Amino acid sequence: AGIDLDKVDPTTAPLTQVMIEDLQPDGTSRFRGVVRQVYEGTEPWRRLQFINSDFVELKSLVDANGKALPFKSVHTGHSFQYTAILPEPVAPGGVLVYGGEGVMRGLVKEDPKDETFTYQMTHNPNADVPTWRMEVHRLPPGAELLEVSPTATRRATDGRVEVVLDQIIPPHGSVTLSYRYRIKPSASGGGGASGSAAAVSPDETV
């Protein structure tokens, strides 16, 4: 997606979370994400564990070289806990990079009265270190952005409107992103879309 992971030095933000959201006309979101984390433990890190809300359907996990990383998931309450064995242990002070992709549902809400869609999410990394959170939300083709929260900016890329969040979240802090858009009838085939979705992943890394 052309995002430079070195834009923010790991000493400034030991945890980096990048999310690319490709919103569909029906409100679902196809996402790709990358996490970079400085390991601050005292023993080699051999097992990755993280939690996602269950509106996230994680389809694949890969290591820094793009190689598939097998994982197991357990559903409890309204969340999934994922576990994966790292191909190589990460030494104390080392850096782990991994990525994932999937589909998210349930965060984009449609208002049939004015035919608009609204996204709102408060992201809390649950980390005791600063986190660089970078999100790019690509609105559906033909979408018109009506409102966006002060935490984000807007831009256009290849004819698609994008909402961009680029924030450093303090330890135990959070950031809220919200926006509202409308899909022009000619772009959606003449009808509104039903359904919902959006994304954040992972919510927590252990």
Side-chain angles (χ1 to χ4, degrees):
I3 295 175
D4 183 8
L5 289 180
D6 293 324
K7 175 184 173 182
V8 176
D9 191 277
T11 58
T12 300
L15 178 59
T16 292
Q17 298 175 332
V18 175
M19 289 294 298
I20 310 299
E21 307 258 5
D22 189 0
L23 275 71
Q24 305 302 301
D26 66 354
T28 59
S29 176
R30 298 172 185 172
F31 73 89
R32 291 176 293 134
V34 176
V35 174
R36 179 187 65 184
Q37 183 172 359
V38 177
Y39 178 49
E40 299 184 335
T42 58
E43 299 293 332
W45 189 8
R46 293 183 169 86
R47 184 176 63 173
L48 173 67
Q49 292 181 290
F50 61 90
I51 296 172
N52 272 340
S53 299
D54 59 8
F55 59 76
V56 180
E57 180 186 353
L58 183 65
K59 292 182 175 292
S60 65
L61 201 62
V62 296
D63 64 16
N65 298 314
K67 185 177 179 181
L69 199 57
F71 63 88
K72 296 181 179 180
S73 64
V74 176
H75 186 252
T76 303
H78 298 289
S79 64
F80 282 101
Q81 178 165 325
Y82 296 94
T83 302
I85 303 301
L86 299 177
E88 295 182 4
V90 179
V95 176
L96 174 67
V97 177
Y98 64 94
E101 62 180 59
V103 178
M104 302 189 192
R105 305 175 176 87
L107 290 182
V108 173
K109 308 298 183 182
E110 181 183 8
D111 185 345
K113 292 182 180 180
D114 60 5
E115 298 182 339
T116 62
F117 295 81
T118 300
Y119 172 97
Q120 179 170 325
M121 179 67 189
T122 298
H123 179 75
N124 182 351
N126 293 323
D128 56 7
V129 296
T131 300
W132 175 35
R133 181 74 182 182
M134 178 73 177
E135 298 183 18
V136 178
H137 294 236
R138 303 196 74 205
L139 302 190
E144 175 188 8
L145 183 61
L146 304 174
E147 299 176 11
V148 62
S149 61
T151 53
T153 59
R154 66 181 77 193
R155 70 187 186 192
T157 303
D158 297 329
R160 299 270 297 273
V161 176
E162 295 181 339
V163 174
V164 181
L165 179 142
D166 186 351
Q167 300 276 337
I168 294 182
I169 305 173
H172 307 292
S174 64
V175 63
T176 297
L177 172 63
S178 64
Y179 54 85
R180 189 167 65 94
Y181 63 93
R182 177 185 292 115
I183 300 177
K184 299 175 183 178
S186 60
S188 61
S194 60
S196 48
V200 182
S201 166
D203 291 328
E204 180 179 1
T205 303
V206 179

